[in-house]
Amino acid sequence: MTDKQPLIARLDASTADFSARLDALLAWDSVSDAGVAEVVDEILQAVKTRGDAALVEYTNRLDRREVSSLADLIVPESKLHEALESLPAEQRQALEVAAERIRRYHEHQRQPSWDYTEEDGTRLGQKVTPMARVGLYVPGGKASYPSSVLMNAIPAKVAGVAELVMVVPAPGGELNAMVLAAAAVAGVDKVVTVGGAQAVAALAYGTESLPKVDKIVGPGNIYVATAKRAVFGMVDIDMIAGPSEILVICDGQTDPDWIAMDLFSQAEHDEQAQSILVSPDAAFLDRVEAAMERLLPTLSREAIARTSLANRGALILVQDMDQALAVSNRIAPEHLELSVADPDALLPKVAHAGAIFMGRYTPEALGDYCAGPNHVLPTSGTARFSSPLGVYDFQKRSSIIHCSAEGASELAKTASVLARGEALEAHARSAEYRIKV
Amino acid sequence: MTDKQPLIARLDASTADFSARLDALLAWDSVSDAGVAEVVDEILQAVKTRGDAALVEYTNRLDRREVSSLADLIVPESKLHEALESLPAEQRQALEVAAERIRRYHEHQRQPSWDYTEEDGTRLGQKVTPMARVGLYVPGGKASYPSSVLMNAIPAKVAGVAELVMVVPAPGGELNAMVLAAAAVAGVDKVVTVGGAQAVAALAYGTESLPKVDKIVGPGNIYVATAKRAVFGMVDIDMIAGPSEILVICDGQTDPDWIAMDLFSQAEHDEQAQSILVSPDAAFLDRVEAAMERLLPTLSREAIARTSLANRGALILVQDMDQALAVSNRIAPEHLELSVADPDALLPKVAHAGAIFMGRYTPEALGDYCAGPNHVLPTSGTARFSSPLGVYDFQKRSSIIHCSAEGASELAKTASVLARGEALEAHARSAEYRIKV
């Protein structure tokens, strides 16, 4: 068995081919498919032009429903509370504790309006207001996650969004009780059991029964992602997420079983998920690999995790912590776990990461559910320019400019020179009318 | 001459057909063109695979240049300062005054990192950092505006972006001295005379000589916009702007010549620009129309303004200020001028607007150049969900989670229940390892 496929790749950051091997490991083909785009375009057009009727038709056909009108697809608010009541006490309490912690954290993100007044009485500032209406897409079936409802809905409600509409497909009429309960806990205003591109179309264009929204957030399959891309510009959307990833930097002093399980918690998501461990301690990498060999067969999602680790996982040996951070900054990971004695010493050197899990007692799983920060994070290196989903994603700003007569007279002189320099005469003359003579 | 085409449409918000007429007025076809997309794809691929060589070839061909290497396309820093020195004193001073005011305003937008510590020692927060490298697209030729350089570059530098790369095509080798001078004043780090889709490709993918950036901002023609859309996701981009618009709400007491010129300052931009005046005073609308008839022939850009007003302008009669605001909120205008005695009384009712110009002494032109706030604003109703370009567009956030051993033990109990509820066993077990026994 000398040719046995290793459980996970081993890389050494000091070798000449490291850079090329890392590139190959990170490479990931974002899905884009002409056939899907054609189907999605047809659905978007149908819902745009025929509204409720098209939405009902597609839902009956694609989700095996038999409803006669859109009203039948709207979940009464009482059902959400019934779902919450129906949960085992332990689950209900866990949802409520998580929601409360997520709410408390996100309240720190709410941005206030501000202004300042200059000596001549001119006032400048920004007025910050919530979006009026937001749509939240929630996948149906097996990938239907209550934690995702909390993480997407709560920041919107903390921002002050007046109407939060959740769409979730109910294949064969079935809905996940924990998802409905999470909607109740998070304060979702309306739940409609539609999904796919037709749900995105309804949110973006509005129908007779459903108002159009200003922004659509939440994960979905390739049809949903393609539809979101297509309506982007008419409404705002969140980032289209790639596969989830974790990068653990460990000094070699954390229990190898803990690190193995932290890596598994990413790898069990799906075959494309990426789990990477970086350490300066080669013997520790051996111990973690041994722990992985031993623990992997005990996982209920062993097959998925095994494929993910074989295809996209890596144990990377580095010379020291500076090299570990260089590797991490190059990857700009979605989740970065600093499983070391003094994570604060490393933090200033972290240039890009979606979320940073500090110390041996902060596994990613705590952040996924209930620590407070959002679990919707930039993937595939986009932490270079993107942020966790937050309250700021549901607020918008208007500039405020209020010139005093005196202030306007001075500003107009500068504006006039620049406008004439750009050959925009009406701009210049509009300004010049305000110059005191 | 009874069939004479009116200079500008007249609408009455109280008539039955108002809503339909307003929709027709606002309708605007965003450009998307399969032929353009094909050309752009070819250019993107060429620059991605052949780097500098492709960039030089396209630039020689499309911009009528005759350079032999990419080095010839880089503008030495000394040239920028020479351009600034070469300007008439009045222009140089105007640029410097505007830049200083823009900088001072945008410094109010810089967002600090924050955190808080819970009773059990768990620390939560967000680390806010600037993007490392940003590309600024500046159109060449006649639409080359120094004010646009200031408005795009200064927020990036205030955010702390380390390397700001400006690309600007130089057709036939010619560059606008004021644009170069603005780059010097704004602190642009590098200027490269390339443009079009090839410039966007170089910024997004990098070449042998040019590093890839994290975000691309700035206006451009349809090739540039199409290329930006295509690379979005790999790098961040700003919004693709539609035609510029102004909505003026006036109580009838501002000098009609001032209002006419304020409307012209929008209409002179291009034939698609939109200028709308809303007032409860019908006689005032007549006076403004008369002023427009009289002043329009005196404009250097009369033809453009006339077409814009005829196609997309409107004078709208409303019953009162509440109806005026309802019309404005429905449009969600890029620029909203509240030319009234007490604009502060109206401000709380403004739901959506890119920038709000308060009172009779605050024409849009002051904001376009030097008041301080940004002139890159959400167009075509996107103020419902977008904000002015700002420092926040060049910052990104990382969540910070640092659990104490005690805090982790408590959180893990909640995380475990939720993870098992989602059938993610490795998540649960990763959390459970941290429960104190």
Side-chain angles (χ1 to χ4, degrees), chain B residues 80-102:
Chain B
L80 308 184
H81 290 280
E82 280 168 35
L84 184 59
E85 308 280 344
S86 77
L87 291 185
E90 174 182 75
Q91 283 191 352
R92 177 181 178 156
Q93 199 198 343
L95 274 183
E96 288 174 340
V97 166
E100 177 51 31
R101 292 190 58 88
I102 296 165

Side-chain angles (χ1 to χ4, degrees), chain A residues 101 105 118 123 125 127 147 214 262 265 268 300 344 347 351 353 356 384 396 398-399 422 425 427 430, chain B residues 101 105 118 123 125 127 147 214 262 265 268 300 344 347 351 353 356 384 396 398-399 422 425 427 430:
Chain A
R101 291 191 58 87
Y105 176 86
E118 302 187 310
R123 185 159 55 96
K127 171 174 155 152
S147 61
D214 301 313
D262 295 355
S265 76
E268 75 172 341
S300 53
D344 279 303
L347 189 58
I356 307 169
R384 289 184 295 119
K396 61 201 168 60
S398 302
S399 306
E422 293 183 353
E425 186 200 347
H427 282 69
S430 164
Chain B
R101 292 190 58 88
Y105 176 85
E118 303 187 310
R123 183 158 55 96
K127 170 173 157 155
S147 60
D214 301 313
D262 295 354
S265 76
E268 75 172 340
S300 53
D344 279 304
L347 189 58
I356 307 170
R384 289 184 294 118
K396 61 202 167 61
S398 302
S399 306
E422 294 182 352
E425 186 201 348
H427 283 69
S430 164

Side-chain angles (χ1 to χ4, degrees), chain B residues 136-281:
Chain B
L136 164 55
Y137 192 94
V138 177
K142 60 181 176 160
S144 194
Y145 293 138
S147 60
S148 172
V149 175
L150 299 184
M151 292 290 183
N152 281 277
I154 291 173
K157 294 309 286 186
V158 170
V161 169
E163 191 174 357
L164 179 59
V165 180
M166 175 173 131
V167 293
V168 54
E174 275 189 45
L175 281 168
N176 177 325
M178 255 183 119
V179 162
L180 293 185
V185 169
V188 167
D189 296 288
K190 182 177 231 166
V191 176
V192 190
T193 60
V194 293
Q198 60 275 20
V200 173
L203 293 172
Y205 304 122
T207 69
E208 301 90 321
S209 306
L210 299 176
K212 73 175 185 177
V213 302
D214 301 313
K215 180 164 189 162
I216 303 174
V217 298
N221 64 18
I222 184 171
Y223 292 91
V224 173
T226 304
K228 278 169 69 180
R229 256 190 202 283
V231 299
F232 175 49
M234 179 174 331
V235 296
D236 197 16
I237 62 168
D238 56 358
M239 267 274 163
I240 309 285
S244 195
E245 345 120 31
I246 191 172
L247 186 145
V248 180
I249 294 178
C250 186
D251 57 11
Q253 302 300 309
T254 307
D255 185 328
D257 283 13
W258 291 21
I259 299 297
M261 198 59 76
D262 295 354
L263 296 170
F264 291 160
S265 76
Q266 194 58 247
E268 75 172 340
H269 267 297
D270 58 71
E271 284 88 352
Q272 296 269 317
Q274 185 154 57
S275 305
I276 295 176
L277 168 62
V278 179
S279 178
D281 182 341

